[in-house]
Amino acid sequence: MKETKHNLMACRGIAAFLVVLEHSIIRYPIDLRAQAEWCVILGNLINSFHMPLFFLLSGYFTSTKGLGSPQEWLAKHAKRLLLPYLVMGMVDMMPRLLLQSLVNNPSNIQDSLIDIIFYGGYFWFLIAMFLVQLVAAVGVSCGQRKLLFGISVVLMISTRLVSFPDLFCINQAAYYLFFYLLGGYYREFEEWAARKQVLLNIVSALVFVLFGWMGNRWANILVAIAASWLTLQLATQLTRKGKNAVLETAGKYSLQIYLFNGITLGVARTLLVRIGVTGPLILIVGNTALVLLAETIGIFILKQLPGIPVLFGMQTERRRKTGYAAD
């Protein structure tokens, strides 16, 4: 089984949908996890692997060659990751300051700026991804890829034993570096994985079913790998007859789906609760549907505005034709 860009992009699309679904299990203004145990289990299942999956896929898509000069690398990744981080950080400040009834964690300008500058704010994923890609690029350029992978294993285990600093998302980067590098290695072992597909499917399913619901920080390391493999197999089946437009479009705009999720969810959950929707299942489904609809419309509108898409990390069609960039 040779992986294609179709199933990998569809896999990223599934990961984007999982982000929306997990966030739709709201804690405010109604805490669904306190209402129903199945909400806790569903949240634990998704949380066990959806973020590691993003790092695995990014590591796969990122080429280990042609890194360019340090200046070129920094310019490209700052534009792709740091610029949207700063823009969305500023946007996110407004409702936390002016529309505090819509948000779970209202904040003043000073606290928001400190959080954005030093701790990753509510978009920590972008800072952690930037740090992970920076470390990986340095390791590859120095010819120390295997050594770096060994170090990443030690770092990942260490994050389960001690508390790393939250400053500049060092704790998250230390954990997710392993998954990013593992994604790069998977490219080299695809044929072996294809030969062992049935065995890997069975073992992965057992690990996910037995440990995925627990929310255990140690078990989640294995669960993340197992569930990521199963998600890729699902994406492969869904693209077996060709391109899956819905999932691959979601994969294409997965970064924007992540960025806009907080604002759209804040509006969706407030609207549903105010019209009297309180049941966990209806709230989760309603939140997910409204968020996806609002984000689809928002992304479409932003694409039509000259010079605006780059502020939110959207790539130009010309750049996409040259290959997949890491998000």
Side-chain angles (χ1 to χ4, degrees):
M1 180 187 67
K2 182 179 179 180
E3 307 293 356
T4 68
K5 62 183 179 182
H6 291 301
N7 63 351
L8 289 164
M9 284 303 288
C11 189
R12 180 177 282 177
I14 294 173
F17 283 130
L18 288 173
V19 169
V20 175
L21 178 60
E22 194 277 328
H23 288 169
S24 293
I25 310 172
I26 58 175
R27 298 181 183 273
Y28 176 87
I30 297 175
D31 187 352
L32 296 184
R33 288 170 173 81
Q35 283 196 6
E37 182 64 24
W38 67 265
C39 290
V40 176
I41 295 174
L42 178 59
N44 287 343
L45 286 172
I46 298 173
N47 270 322
S48 67
F49 75 97
H50 72 312
M51 296 312 291
L53 177 56
F54 272 116
F55 282 89
L56 278 161
L57 290 170
S58 185
Y60 182 95
F61 283 133
T62 301
S63 173
T64 58
K65 299 179 181 180
L67 294 174
S69 68
Q71 295 82 357
E72 292 172 337
W73 191 96
L74 285 172
K76 181 177 72 174
H77 287 77
K79 181 180 179 181
R80 179 66 173 150
L81 297 172
L82 298 187
L83 178 59
Y85 171 77
L86 292 174
V87 171
M88 285 306 301
M90 295 300 107
V91 171
D92 183 71
M93 284 175 56
M94 296 302 102
R96 297 189 186 281
L97 179 65
L98 303 175
L99 301 172
Q100 297 189 354
S101 63
L102 296 180
V103 299
N104 187 20
N105 296 301
S107 180
N108 57 48
I109 293 178
Q110 178 179 331
D111 290 342
S112 293
L113 287 175
I114 291 174
D115 202 27
I116 292 170
I117 295 171
F118 296 107
Y119 299 104
Y122 291 92
F123 303 97
W124 63 266
F125 169 76
L126 299 179
I127 299 299
M129 180 64 78
F130 180 82
L131 289 179
V132 164
Q133 292 184 350
L134 176 61
V135 172
V138 171
V140 170
S141 64
C142 294
Q144 298 297 327
R145 187 173 174 224
K146 292 182 179 179
L147 174 61
L148 181 61
F149 184 74
I151 292 174
S152 75
V153 174
V154 174
L155 286 174
M156 177 189 61
I157 295 175
S158 298
T159 62
R160 310 291 89 175
L161 296 172
V162 299
S163 296
F164 279 58
D166 290 327
L167 187 67
F168 303 128
C169 298
I170 292 175
N171 184 54
Q172 294 93 327
Y175 180 70
Y176 290 112
L177 175 62
F178 165 78
F179 296 100
Y180 181 85
L181 296 173
L182 185 64
Y185 273 113
Y186 173 68
R187 181 191 292 271
E188 302 174 13
F189 289 93
E190 285 182 278
E191 293 185 2
W192 177 87
R195 293 194 300 270
K196 304 294 183 180
Q197 181 181 0
V198 175
L199 176 62
L200 290 174
N201 287 348
I202 294 173
V203 173
S204 297
L206 287 174
V207 170
F208 185 62
V209 171
L210 292 175
F211 304 110
W213 59 274
M214 295 172 58
N216 181 277
R217 54 196 283 119
W218 285 103
N220 278 356
I221 297 174
L222 293 177
V223 172
I225 298 172
S228 294
W229 169 259
L230 293 174
T231 306
L232 178 58
Q233 301 314 298
L234 174 61
T236 300
Q237 292 300 318
L238 294 175
T239 56
R240 187 168 294 280
K241 294 183 179 180
K243 183 176 181 179
N244 187 307
V246 173
L247 288 179
E248 291 186 51
T249 299
K252 177 180 178 181
Y253 295 106
S254 58
L255 176 59
Q256 290 72 44
I257 291 174
Y258 165 78
L259 289 174
F260 304 149
N261 184 237
I263 293 176
T264 53
L265 178 61
V267 175
R269 69 190 180 193
T270 301
L271 174 63
L272 290 174
V273 171
R274 287 187 177 180
I275 64 175
V277 178
T278 58
L281 180 60
I282 299 177
L283 265 177
I284 292 172
V285 173
N287 282 332
T288 301
L290 289 176
V291 165
L292 291 174
L293 176 61
E295 292 194 347
T296 299
I297 296 173
I299 290 171
F300 175 80
I301 293 174
L302 287 175
K303 285 175 58 181
Q304 316 308 313
L305 303 177
I308 298 300
V310 69
L311 298 178
F312 300 97
M314 296 185 194
Q315 300 177 58
T316 63
E317 292 302 317
R318 180 172 178 268
R319 182 182 174 188
R320 284 193 175 276
K321 291 179 182 179
T322 65
Y324 289 95
D327 313 270

